[in-house]
Amino acid sequence: MLEKRNTGWRLTEPFDWPANIWTVQRLLDELRFVSAETGFDAAEAKANGSGLKDYGLEAPRWTLKVTAETGATIEAKIGVQPSTSHHFLLTDDGKRIIPLPEAMAAALAAKPESYRVDKIFEIADFEARAVSVRHRSKDGEVVTALTSEARPRIGRRVQLPEWRFETPYDALADADATARAVADLTNLRASKFVALADDVTGLTAPVLRLSLEGNGRRQVLLVGKAAPGQPTMLCARLEENNSVFLVEARLLADWFAARETLAASRPADFDSALVTGFTIAAGGRTITLHRLEGAAAEARWEIPVAPGSTATKRREADARLVGRFLAGLSQLRATRRAPAVDGGLTLPAVREPRTGATGQTVELEFGAERIVLGFTDDPDNGAGTRLVHAKGSPLAAICDVTFLDGGHQNVEPSAWRRRTVAALPQGARVSGLRLTARADGKVVGEARLGPDGNWAGTGRLDPTSARRLALGLAEVRATAFPGRDVGAGGWSYELRVTDQAATGAGAASETIRTYLCSAPLNDRSLLLRDETDDDDFILEPTLAALLAPLLTEAGR
């Protein structure tokens, strides 16, 4: 039975459910084309020796009852002619027999299931505002509530609506997993309607009660036991509707364990470009870095001398290194745990934080606001993983921290300082080189740039070597500041570099820089120290490949 209401067409028998408007419309279109003029008189057929039985109308297969908006009712009988299987309609007054087209016959033969919509919820995913879950188990009832709202957050410039837990705690839900789960829920389909007793469906005491809220409306889905003989199908119904249908159990798997499956996998979700400073604390020592002027992509960073810091003098930090570290922090995600049973869910490794555990902290500054991240041992002893917890959050995540390169625990200033040790301004150039053996003070090579732009040199610094080395020394970069003995064996050589300012500045505009050099660690690795600096550094390989051959007894 189909009934038109204010909200549209509805199937009322054999179950109560919204009707598929397109299927109903097809039936209505076919009815409009049924005309008494295309039929013939029943009396005339009888006179010709054909009765109602010959047209299948003596015991009709269907009774079609149509009620108009005015209340007027027409009831017609429809039968199937035994000899041809054609369909015929007997009018309400029993006087006319009308042959029906095949399309009308197909519409009549359709099962009630074909007249219903598949979707269970009328609320679309884009209007979903809240989901509440009551899961009943042998251990009691677990209540979980989520809501979508726009709430200002530290480390975010603009905050759009996002899903977060409201019960049992106030915490962000995983953006991707929750959006996907809500979309799947709003698009959940009823596979089949069934007539089963309450003790079979289990819906008098449902295992799962899902409440979905949209714009000014709310719908509640009750989920009971598995269907008899169908363990992958669950009995379900809407709270305000007694019609029972089946749904696929796998489509509700996330909601049976909503706290675990939808927990935020990112311990700290922030925009790294908004960080204005950070402090790392490890082993009772700290280091602080602050951002200087400029947009985030071009900003310079410094290592100031702060109370309790390991920095003893102000240095410029390496902006690229800082940028990679902050981006890595913002992208930390919980690893995935293997399912506890075969076929079970693969869950994010999220758990309660460990109380009293000691480790490292990174305090991120966003102007006057702070996010504090704690790093402690992974309770599962995973390789390269740590338990990461944002202060104030009810949950912590086991994350792979290998791509942080140990930055979360490195409090040495040399680890963060700018990798460019020296760089000549535009137009300046190296004009002189002197290489001295420190053991006996002997000059083993010396070169000078002539007025004509050509190099003249002696010893190991012949003109070709001098020219190449001078070009490389225009920018001296370190690959690392080891801060420990790397087996270089002391300082074997001294390299004196004379720099000349841009043309026109005059002869007095020359400056000197001096580097202490170890014997080569290999053909592309050298340990150096600028005499005006306390930090030893490993020279970047390209320049090291030019200098290393000159620091051997045999020369080049």
Side-chain angles (χ1 to χ4, degrees), residues 7 33 75 97 128 146 171 181 270 336 350 366 369 405 416 482:
T7 55
F33 289 105
E75 187 172 305
I97 297 175
L146 298 102
F270 62 92
R336 307 295 291 187
V350 176
F366 301 87
E369 297 180 305
D405 293 328
W416 294 100

Side-chain angles (χ1 to χ4, degrees), residues 413-470:
S414 58
W416 294 100
R417 65 170 291 180
R418 187 169 180 249
R419 274 12 186 194
T420 300
V421 177
L424 295 181
Q426 187 175 3
R429 58 184 178 176
V430 174
S431 59
L433 297 169
R434 178 186 291 174
L435 186 61
T436 304
R438 285 173 58 86
D440 55 10
K442 180 182 178 182
V443 176
V444 296
E446 189 169 8
R448 187 75 187 180
L449 180 65
D452 58 356
N454 293 317
W455 281 87
T458 61
R460 299 180 188 179
L461 286 171
D462 61 64
T464 300
S465 298
R467 178 176 57 82
R468 291 175 180 172
L469 185 58

Side-chain angles (χ1 to χ4, degrees), residues 328-412:
L329 282 179
S330 69
Q331 293 165 14
L332 283 174
R333 283 187 179 274
T335 57
R336 307 295 291 187
R337 291 197 298 255
V341 295
D342 290 341
L345 295 172
T346 302
L347 301 173
V350 176
R351 50 163 291 163
E352 293 182 358
R354 300 175 67 183
T355 57
T358 59
Q360 304 83 37
T361 62
V362 178
E363 181 177 323
L364 300 166
E365 302 174 17
F366 301 87
E369 297 180 305
R370 302 286 188 273
I371 292 177
V372 180
L373 295 177
F375 295 78
T376 55
D377 291 338
D378 175 4
D380 298 331
N381 297 318
T385 55
R386 301 282 282 168
L387 184 65
V388 185
H389 174 237
K391 185 178 180 180
S393 172
L395 299 173
I398 297 174
C399 302
D400 181 356
V401 298
T402 54
F403 60 88
L404 295 180
D405 293 328
H408 62 289
Q409 57 189 357
N410 205 329
V411 294
E412 296 297 335

Side-chain angles (χ1 to χ4, degrees), residues 176-189:
D176 296 334
T178 308
R180 186 167 54 248
V182 171
D184 289 345
L185 181 63
T186 58
N187 289 292
L188 192 65
R189 260 60 176 172

Side-chain angles (χ1 to χ4, degrees), residues 13 35 197 303 439 487 502:
E13 291 292 342
S35 173
I303 308 170

Side-chain angles (χ1 to χ4, degrees), residues 472-485:
L473 288 168
E475 182 178 20
V476 178
R477 288 186 55 82
T479 58
F481 295 87
R484 65 185 189 281
D485 185 8

Side-chain angles (χ1 to χ4, degrees), residues 18 158 253:
V158 177

